[in-house]
């Protein structure tokens, strides 16, 4: 597939680009600072762009992967502004497939009582801004004419890949408290070609 990747220089983005190239995908990495993309590969091209402004997507892209996200708990518009900017570029280019990574802060029927209480506390305190932003993006995508998937991981870590993570389409994950960035990148690759995930949320965790 020809993939356009936003957020390629982040912790998950670096793993995703490397894994996608290793599996034979052709990747265009969009970065505010192109020099920050350190991967070198014949299938990789790097262009300058910022999701908080107008962006361009090539019409020959098969899918867009949105890995950009807030880097701190405070106020951010990277989902509520960046997401619509990317969608507008996709519609202009005629690209239908989008996989976006947000957070697993939303309450789901699969939550344990401890999960539910933890999320309620986080919604109203330190992670209230990322939670509200991720919910705004989801509501926006629900009205967009795209084959979108929102992947929702919990707390991220830099632990090495295990390949032993769980995914749940549309239902949430019971006792899912964390996942490594490398495993998250792998999960996004698995979701990309799967039509069963179109217009659905996918929760992923150990």
């Amino acid at each position: 597939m020809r993939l356009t990747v936003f957020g390629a220089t982040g912790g998950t983005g670096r793993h995703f680009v490397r894994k996608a190239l290793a599996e034979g995908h052709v990747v265009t990495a969009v970065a505010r600072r192109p020099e920050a993309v350190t991967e070198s590969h014949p299938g990789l091209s790097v262009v300058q762009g910022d999701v908080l402004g107008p962006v361009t997507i090539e019409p020959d892209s098969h899918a867009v992967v949105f890995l950009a996200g807030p880097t701190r708990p405070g106020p951010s518009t990277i989902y509520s502004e960046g997401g619509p900017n990317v969608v507008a570029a996709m519609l202009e280019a005629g690209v239908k497939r989008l996989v976006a990574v947000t957070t697993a802060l939303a309450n789901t029927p699969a939550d344990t009582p401890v999960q539910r209480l933890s999320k309620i506390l986080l919604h109203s305190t330190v992670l209230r801004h990322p939670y509200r932003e991720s919910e705004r993006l989801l509501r926006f995508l629900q009205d967009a004419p795209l084959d979108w998937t929102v992947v929702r991981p919990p707390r991220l870590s830099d632990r090495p890949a295990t390949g032993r993570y769980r995914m749940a389409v549309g239902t949430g994950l019971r006792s899912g408290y964390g996942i490594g960035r490398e495993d998250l990148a792998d999960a996004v690759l698995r979701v990309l070609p799967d039509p069963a995930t179109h217009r659905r949320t996918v929760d992923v965790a150990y």
Side-chain angles (χ1 to χ4, degrees), residues 37-56:
V37 180
T38 57
E39 189 76 26
S40 178
H41 192 281
L44 173 66
S45 59
V46 182
V47 299
Q48 198 280 330
D50 185 346
V51 297
L52 294 180
V55 293
T56 301

Side-chain angles (χ1 to χ4, degrees), residues 4-107:
T4 299
V5 181
F6 294 90
T9 61
T12 303
R14 292 177 187 272
H15 289 300
F16 179 84
V17 168
R18 177 177 52 80
K19 286 175 174 289
L21 291 168
E23 293 190 10
H25 299 288
V26 177
V27 175
T28 297
V30 183
R32 287 188 298 112
R33 296 186 303 110
E35 67 276 12
V37 180
T38 57
E39 189 76 26
S40 178
H41 192 281
L44 173 66
S45 59
V46 182
V47 299
Q48 198 280 330
D50 185 346
V51 297
L52 294 180
V55 293
T56 301
I57 295 170
E58 294 299 323
D60 64 350
S61 293
H62 298 128
V64 171
V65 179
F66 187 94
L67 299 172
T71 57
R72 54 182 60 88
S76 168
T77 59
I78 200 153
Y79 293 145
S80 59
E81 290 188 31
N85 288 340
V86 169
V87 168
M90 291 179 66
L91 295 176
E92 184 174 349
V95 180
K96 293 273 292 181
R97 182 66 173 132
L98 169 67
V99 177
V101 173
T102 60
T103 74
L105 290 171
N107 291 109

Side-chain angles (χ1 to χ4, degrees), residues 118-128 131-132:
S118 297
K119 289 179 179 180
I120 290 171
L121 292 174
L122 291 171
H123 293 173
S124 59
T125 56
V126 65
L127 295 182
R128 64 186 183 277
Y131 167 68
R132 292 168 186 170

Side-chain angles (χ1 to χ4, degrees), residues 4 88 109 133 135 146 150 169 199:
T4 299
E133 273 287 285
E135 289 297 289
L146 299 176
V150 172
V169 180
R199 303 189 68 81

